[in-house]
Structure formats: C-alpha cells, structure tokens
Amino acid sequence: MKNLLFLLGLGCAVSGGAAVVSSPDGDIAVNMDVDGAGRPVYSVSYKGMPVVTESCLGLSARETAIAEGYNVEFGDVVEFDEVWTPVWGEYAEVRNHYNELVGRFRGESGPDFDVRVRVFDDGVGFRYELPQSGDLYFLSVTGENTEFNFADDYTVFAIPGDYDTDEFLYTKSPMSELGEKLPRSRHSESTLIDGLAVQTPVMMKHPEGKVYVNVHEAALVGYPSMALDVDVEKPGFKSHLTPGADGVRGYVQLPFNTPWRTLIISDDARDILASQLIYNLNEPSKIADTSWIYPQKFMGVWWEMFLGGNSWAYSDDISTRPGVTDYSKVKPNGRHAANTENVKKYIDFAAESGIKGVLVEGWNEGWETWTEGRKNRHFMFDKAYPDFDVEGLERYAREKGVKLIMHHETSANAADYERQLEAAFDFMNEHGYDAVKTGYVGYIIPRGEHHSSQWMNDHYIEVARRAAEHKVMVNSHEAVRPTGLMRTWPNWVAQESARGGEYEAMGGNPPEHTTILPFTRLKGGPMDYTPGIVETDLASYGFGNNSKPGTTIARQLALYLTMPSPMQMACDKPESYRRYADAFEFIKVVPVEWRTSVYLEAEPGDYITVARQDKNSDDWYVGAITDENARKAKFRLDFLPKGVKYIATVYEDGKDADYKSNPKSYKIYEKKVDSKSEMTLELAPGGGAAVRLTPVSGR
Ligand code: NOJ
Ligand code: CA
C-alpha cells in the first residue's frame, strides 16, 4: 500500500476569519467561516460556480448546543494520497486522495469543537469532532443543524424521509416543487417523517445540467442516520436525525466524531457513479485476515414464495410456539417450500450451473408468528422445521460443491436476535454455512426503536462484527441504508435497504427505478437487488400473481453489470432457467468482482452503460439499461487492450421487444471486435443489453 502524507500550504487561503481548501485538481473549493453572529458556516463551489451557498453548522444536545458566538482558527492544509485494496468491489484498487483542513471553533457559551473537511477531486466530506473538555463527558444529542443550501433550484431524485424504510420509488422534481410532488404516504410498517423530508443518498442535477451532486453520509457509527428536511424557499436541506425510542437522537460519549456529511460533485454524471468517496471516508478493514470472504452468485428457495402458492411457514397453525411446540405433531400446510426435496432441486441446479450458493428461506421455526403483528414475533435460529433435514442437506450440498446460505428473519425483534446470535452463528459454523441473509421486517420490537436509530445502527455493526468472529458473511435486509461501512467490515457484503427486485412480484418496478438506484442507494454500498427474472409472465406459474415486472429479459441480464454486488442472486426458479437456457448462460458466466470499471454513458433516471473487467480473467463485460424509452447505447471499445481481438457475445432486446407488451423478445449473437471498434446496442423501452467480451486466444 502506498501511503503519502504531505504538509502543504497549497489550496489554503486564509483571509480574515475564513479559510478555503480545494480539491487536489482545484475544481472543488470549500470555504469555512463564522458569520456575523458567530455561527459556524461553510460553502462549496465547483469550477468557480457556487453550488452550496453559505450554510450553517450546528448541533443541539440536552447538555449544551453548538449555535453561535464562535471564533474559528485553522490548521494547515494537509494532502493525503494512498491506494488501498478492497476485498471485493468495482475496482481492484482505490485511490484515496484529498486535501484536508481542520477548522477549530472556539465559543463563549457553546462547547469547543473541530470540523474536519476533506476535499477530493470527486467531492467533499466533513464531520464534527467533539473533544472531551471540562466537565462535559457525554452529549444527549437532540438535533443536528447541518444545512445544505443550494445556489440554484436543483432537480432532485428523492424518496420520502422515513425513519424505518427506503423501499420507495423515486420522485424527480425541482427542489422548490417537492412539496407538491413528493408522495406523502407511509410505507406499510414505517414511520414517515412529519413535514417535508427526503432520504439520503439524494441525487441532484443543476437546472441547466451544469453540475450533478449527491448528498449522503459516510461511516455511520454510534449515531442516528441522517435524513434531510427540505426548505423549498431557500431551496435547501437541513439534517434530520432519527430519534431513539425515548426521543433523544443519540447518546455520545466524548471525545466523539460524527459520521461524515458528504457531497459527491461533478459536471459529468458518470463520475458520480465511479466515485469511491463514501468508501474512502470509512476506516480500513477491521478484519485482518479476509481470505475467507468470497464474492458469489446464489440461487434461492425464495421467488416461489413471492410468486404466491408456496409459504415460508411449515403450517397455518398460529398457536405454534417456536422452541416449545413439537412441530412433528403439527399439521403441515402442504405448501412449505423449504423442504428437503425442494432444496435438493435447487442444489442440483446450482451445481450443474456452477453457482456457488443456495439460500433457503423458511427453514426454521417461527414463521407462523410472522402474522401476529406487533405481539409475539419470534424465530429460532438453530431449530429447523421437521421437513428440513439439516445434516442431510449439509452433506448433499457438500458433495455437490454448493454452499447453503443461512436465513435469519428476525422480524425486527432485534433484541431477541442479539440474545440468540452466538447460538445462531455456532449453528452455522457446525453445519457449513458461510453466509447469512438477515431481515428486519416490521416494527422493531420490543424496544420501539426505528430501523435507522442509533441503537439499531449499533446493532447492525455488532452483527457484522460477531459474524466476522465466526467467519460469516452478512447480507442484511431492511437495515439502515449503507454508508460505506463495508470497507471496515468487508464481510458485510450486501444490503437491501431500497425497493428491490422483489417488487416485480408486487406491482412491478418502473424501468427508470434501476437507472436511479446506482446514483443513490448504491453510493453507500452494494445492493442485494435480486436480478435474474427470465420468466417475466408471472401469471404463467398459475399462483394467481398477475404482477407485471417492469423489465425485458435482456435488461435483467444487464442488471448484473449496472447493479454490481459481491453477492448477486439469480432469483428465478430452476425450471425457468431451463426454459431460457441461452439467456441464463450469461448469468452463469458473469463475474461478481471486478478489476476495473469504466462508466461509458449515464444520466440519472434515463440510462446507464458500464464496462467492467473481470478480476480473475481478461474478459470484459458491458451492461446497458434504459428507462421506459427505447435507446441506442453507442460507445467505443477503447477500454480493451490494444491489438487484442475479442469475441463479443451480445444479449440484446429483440427488434419488437417492449417491457410492457413483449418483454421476452431477445437475441443473442457474436461478433469480432477490438479496441478500435464502436458498438451500438439497441435497447427496447424498459430494456437493456449485456455483452461478454472474451479474447479470441482465450477461446
Ligand atoms: C423481506 C425481504 O426483502 C425478502 O427478501 C425476504 O424474503 C422476506 N422479507 C422474508 O424474510
Ligand atoms: Ca427518464
């Protein structure tokens, strides 16, 4: 690892009370100061154009408040430049290069604190650093007043601010019109923030397209998550911290550093996708030996429950008590999917397809309590239903070279999960499970916390830490949206935390949705989006599910490139993959970790085209998606090594394809290309294309 540290005067212009720190390339500048009332303020410009105008910094606690009456002094600007090696991801190496400036704010009435600002070529991160001083040992934080006031009326791609969930579709609207445009309906079991608020990461575009900005946070540790209150007049945002069960937002022991508040900034939308700023602001891996962490594709006894017909629960008997009831005496409902024979079918198919993992949901006692609302939701994490043969399946999978993936649906009973955690991970270690999908559906019982509160944020990290002790990889669903913590805990390989592919079986996702997620949710970390639907006619299963997926088949293949994740599902059923075996061929071969990535075309809400090089071979892959409009993706293949001939295998929408009327039309063809070639991919409305590029010599 290269690790350079320079002390420079560069970029720091101290004038009066203010100081400016610029990005290494000079394009982004951050100004820190105090205003006339002694309030700490900052502003941000890009290529000389104001982006964030004067915006206040502040914090309130029961004990004290950071508000006004401050003076500020500055240290020197320090340049930092290193290259680090992620365990998995879009790049085999990541450069972490920034100029840093610390503002030391000293007040008459409020506590002393520092603001550390890091300015990268692709954006800005800043955080509050609160020392222990005098008799102030802790803070009971009641609110944070970090403002993000914008110089123009940016168009935002936003979901409503909610303490519990991110499972919404995006609204595209000028900030000034969010009041009328943002839907204000609560998502099933969630708490929508009163007043007008949006969730981060929020994606923004200058009204004349001059600049793109993404606002989020990095390294959410020991603190509540931040949503943004919207001021349509300014227009601007102000931080809104998730309250804990007792109303206090966060209890912090001093000294304490808040998470980083982040702005990814560029005049080219592709740079927003390529940015690794959120990871760069997180701590390096706390896991010394990461050799046991491996990216993988997996199938699952899962989609059939979403299609209807089959159930997670073994019985329909809601008087059953997990851990107490003798389930062998309970009448089965005959629809239990996680039964030994069915699981074997998935293992067989995964083995013959070279897919490493098989997730099984509904294997354990407790699913009958799922329907009991807030009362008694309780699962056992080391007790299987009688028709799921733990040892037999362990052996069967091992013989076939497949790994079963554990499922822990906690039903938001996080305290119960913590009590069982050691037993749960021991059970996994004993039975050869390397990865777990966790779930937090519903209200957090019994504490009444929110999914994004400080207590829960501590819980998710504790689960990742304890999992690492057991060499277990974690893929969490319904947890707080990610903030790059996967750099620190690389065994926390994926999260859901957005409206995922499962909604294709619950009304459908409009095609635009997956052209926005990489600009928003994915900036915090990989998403377990669960792509891979090839049987788009869900009604054909005969389970009474008439939902219409917002996709063509070819688009589903492209999602393996545009929604990168080290834990990537092939969500459809084996029988469907057999039916569309030629399309499934792409899912079989597409890698899940990359040497490098090149974003070729991008516009939030409209389209994304990306090329990625396999980490373990000379193959390249291209994925392209569009929104509801047909589109030609046109690009040069100059990312290929010069002078090497490649065979391109193209999976493209058919001429007559359309996500609404003809989603199954696709074509597969080959052609010879090299670094001088240009490629045009025809994308149908709601469609996509996927390309595999293999050196001719490697054939
Ligand atoms: C919601 C998750 O997103 C889904 O993947 C899972 O199957 C169900 N909860 C049941 O745990
Ligand atoms: Ca669009």
Side-chain angles (χ1 to χ4, degrees):
M1 182 187 290
K2 200 165 60 142
N3 200 333
L4 299 173
L5 209 68
F6 303 111
L7 246 187
L8 294 173
L10 172 135
C12 176
V14 182
S15 63
V20 179
V21 52
S22 303
S23 54
D25 68 3
D27 284 352
I28 300 174
V30 179
N31 181 296
M32 254 195 294
D33 203 353
V34 287
D35 71 4
R39 282 182 301 202
V41 291
Y42 79 102
S43 58
V44 183
S45 65
Y46 178 75
K47 293 187 178 169
M49 182 180 103
V51 175
V52 176
T53 56
E54 188 169 283
S55 298
C56 283
L57 300 166
L59 194 100
S60 57
R62 276 182 181 161
E63 297 76 13
T64 183
I66 292 169
E68 48 185 43
Y70 278 91
N71 294 310
V72 61
E73 283 173 12
F74 297 97
D76 292 318
V77 170
V78 175
E79 182 177 356
F80 183 83
D81 194 356
E82 69 165 0
V83 173
W84 59 279
T85 314
V87 180
W88 42 259
E90 296 181 72
Y91 304 89
E93 291 190 327
V94 175
R95 186 174 183 194
N96 184 13
H97 184 201
Y98 57 79
N99 287 330
E100 179 179 275
L101 178 67
V102 178
R104 301 192 186 99
F105 292 88
R106 302 293 174 254
E108 280 130 42
S109 52
D112 293 350
F113 71 100
D114 294 347
V115 172
R116 186 176 300 272
V117 182
R118 290 183 181 167
V119 191
F120 305 75
D121 289 347
D122 55 350
V124 178
F126 62 89
R127 71 179 181 194
Y128 300 84
E129 300 190 348
L130 302 145
Q132 192 282 317
S133 71
D135 58 0
L136 200 60
Y137 284 93
F138 62 85
L139 294 178
S140 316
V141 178
T142 50
E144 187 187 305
N145 302 312
T146 305
E147 293 179 347
F148 303 85
N149 297 323
F150 283 86
D152 295 277
D153 189 11
Y154 280 65
T155 295
V156 297
F157 297 83
I159 56 174
D162 193 297
Y163 296 144
D164 288 287
T165 187
D166 305 272
E167 296 185 17
F168 295 100
L169 291 173
Y170 286 85
T171 297
K172 179 183 175 186
S173 156
M175 283 178 89
S176 62
E177 291 169 26
L178 267 175
E180 299 103 71
K181 300 258 176 69
L182 198 70
R184 302 301 295 151
S185 61
R186 188 172 147 277
H187 176 277
S188 57
E189 290 189 336
S190 72
T191 306
L192 199 69
I193 294 176
D194 286 340
L196 191 63
V198 298
Q199 207 86 322
T200 75
V202 61
M203 185 63 207
M204 313 176 64
K205 184 181 179 181
H206 184 274
E208 287 142 40
K210 288 183 185 160
V211 64
Y212 297 84
V213 182
N214 172 293
V215 185
H216 190 33
E217 64 178 309
L220 174 54
V221 180
Y223 207 65
S225 113
M226 176 184 77
L228 299 169
D229 286 327
V230 183
D231 182 336
V232 291
E233 301 297 329
K234 271 182 172 166
F237 297 135
K238 193 162 104 180
S239 53
H240 181 128
L241 303 180
T242 305
D246 66 356
V248 170
R249 316 253 159 183
Y251 293 100
V252 302
Q253 198 68 32
L254 301 175
F256 181 78
N257 301 333
T258 67
W260 298 91
R261 278 61 188 101
T262 62
L263 296 148
I264 306 174
I265 306 171
S266 178
D267 53 12
D268 186 333
R270 296 175 302 177
D271 296 342
I272 307 287
L273 296 178
S275 171
Q276 301 290 296
L277 179 142
I278 304 279
Y279 288 124
N280 279 333
L281 287 168
N282 275 269
E283 296 294 318
S285 174
K286 287 195 189 289
I287 304 171
D289 169 20
T290 56
S291 59
W292 52 273
I293 299 169
Y294 57 89
Q296 65 178 316
K297 280 172 286 185
F298 67 103
M299 305 196 58
V301 177
W302 179 76
W303 191 229
E304 53 191 279
M305 279 85 100
F306 277 88
L307 293 171
N310 289 344
S311 74
W312 281 272
Y314 173 71
S315 77
D316 294 332
D317 184 351
I318 60 161
S319 73
T320 49
R321 288 291 165 258
V324 178
T325 299
D326 177 356
Y327 281 80
S328 65
K329 301 210 169 75
V330 172
K331 185 170 168 273
N333 64 14
R335 293 177 283 113
H336 182 225
N339 66 73
T340 304
E341 285 321 300
N342 196 31
V343 175
K344 279 186 179 167
K345 283 189 212 154
Y346 281 83
I347 294 174
D348 291 344
F349 187 77
E352 76 190 48
S353 311
I355 289 182
K356 185 99 193 148
V358 170
L359 166 75
V360 186
E361 296 200 3
W363 69 279
N364 57 331
E365 295 182 8
W367 289 89
E368 289 82 1
T369 70
W370 179 254
T371 52
E372 286 194 32
R374 300 190 79 137
K375 284 186 293 164
N376 282 319
R377 299 187 323 243
H378 171 50
F379 286 81
M380 300 301 295
F381 302 109
D382 57 357
K383 283 205 144 177
Y385 280 133
D387 59 348
F388 181 88
D389 177 4
V390 176
E391 267 113 39
L393 284 168
E394 178 190 347
R395 232 177 318 152
Y396 193 79
R398 194 182 331 112
E399 278 159 18
K400 298 246 167 177
V402 166
K403 285 276 182 184
L404 288 176
I405 296 174
M406 175 51 67
H407 186 227
H408 291 161
E409 176 54 70
T410 69
S411 203
N413 195 338
D416 181 30
Y417 188 40
E418 286 189 8
R419 278 190 290 269
Q420 294 192 56
L421 211 51
E422 205 55 29
F425 288 147
D426 283 345
F427 181 88
M428 286 180 61
N429 288 158
E430 273 158 36
H431 297 290
Y433 290 80
D434 298 340
V436 61
K437 170 176 168 181
T438 60
Y440 298 90
V441 172
Y443 288 102
I444 310 289
I445 53 171
R447 302 181 57 94
E449 293 288 342
H450 291 296
H451 286 73
S452 301
S453 72
Q454 181 189 28
W455 192 88
M456 282 303 290
N457 295 340
D458 289 347
H459 167 86
Y460 307 125
I461 294 174
E462 179 63 5
V463 171
R465 189 186 71 75
R466 298 272 290 278
E469 284 176 2
H470 288 264
K471 295 197 167 34
V472 162
M473 295 176 275
V474 181
N475 165 14
S476 43
H477 279 228
E478 300 90 26
V480 66
R481 79 282 184 284
T483 57
L485 281 165
M486 285 130 176
R487 178 177 179 194
T488 312
W489 297 104
N491 66 318
W492 193 355
V493 284
Q495 287 191 236
E496 182 193 45
S497 309
R499 183 173 159 125
E502 65 193 25
Y503 281 84
E504 300 289 20
M506 298 187 288
N509 284 337
E512 142 184 295
H513 188 55
T514 36
T515 68
I516 301 171
L517 283 174
F519 286 98
T520 53
R521 159 66 185 77
L522 265 64
K523 291 323 302 168
M527 178 171 177
D528 183 22
Y529 183 78
T530 69
I533 300 169
V534 289
E535 184 43 84
T536 50
D537 181 6
L538 306 192
S540 69
Y541 288 103
F543 293 137
N545 188 330
N546 297 320
S547 180
K548 295 255 183 281
T551 181
T552 63
I553 290 181
R555 178 196 192 80
Q556 289 292 308
L557 308 182
L559 293 179
Y560 288 86
L561 283 312
T562 60
M563 301 284 289
S565 170
M567 197 159 174
Q568 196 75 287
M569 194 174 201
C571 76
D572 216 325
K573 297 182 69 180
E575 66 199 62
S576 308
Y577 288 137
R578 287 212 172 86
R579 207 168 320 127
Y580 299 95
D582 55 355
F584 180 60
E585 204 50 44
F586 184 82
I587 299 177
K588 273 162 74 171
V589 297
V590 66
V592 277
E593 54 176 343
W594 307 100
R595 197 176 305 166
T596 194
S597 300
V598 184
Y599 284 92
L600 301 167
E601 305 179 295
E603 184 59 35
D606 293 341
Y607 55 84
I608 295 171
T609 308
V610 63
R612 301 190 193 276
Q613 185 183 18
D614 182 10
K615 198 170 182 178
N616 305 304
S617 78
D618 293 329
D619 289 0
W620 280 80
Y621 288 78
V622 176
I625 58 167
T626 178
D627 59 5
E628 67 284 359
N629 301 306
R631 174 165 197 275
K632 283 188 209 308
K634 234 183 180 175
F635 50 91
R636 305 193 62 77
L637 299 182
D638 49 11
F639 50 83
L640 291 176
K642 285 192 180 59
V644 185
K645 287 264 177 255
Y646 274 76
I647 302 274
T649 311
V650 183
Y651 301 72
E652 198 177 38
D653 289 317
K655 265 208 160 23
D656 50 353
D658 183 306
Y659 78 107
K660 280 194 177 140
S661 55
N662 195 13
K664 292 187 182 181
S665 165
Y666 61 89
K667 55 182 184 231
I668 302 172
Y669 57 90
E670 287 191 349
K671 62 182 192 184
K672 265 206 187 127
V673 295
D674 61 23
S675 64
K676 293 199 199 105
S677 309
E678 199 178 79
M679 197 171 247
T680 305
L681 300 169
E682 304 275 350
L683 315 180
V691 184
R692 181 188 188 188
L693 294 149
T694 315
V696 174
S697 57
R699 280 242 156 169

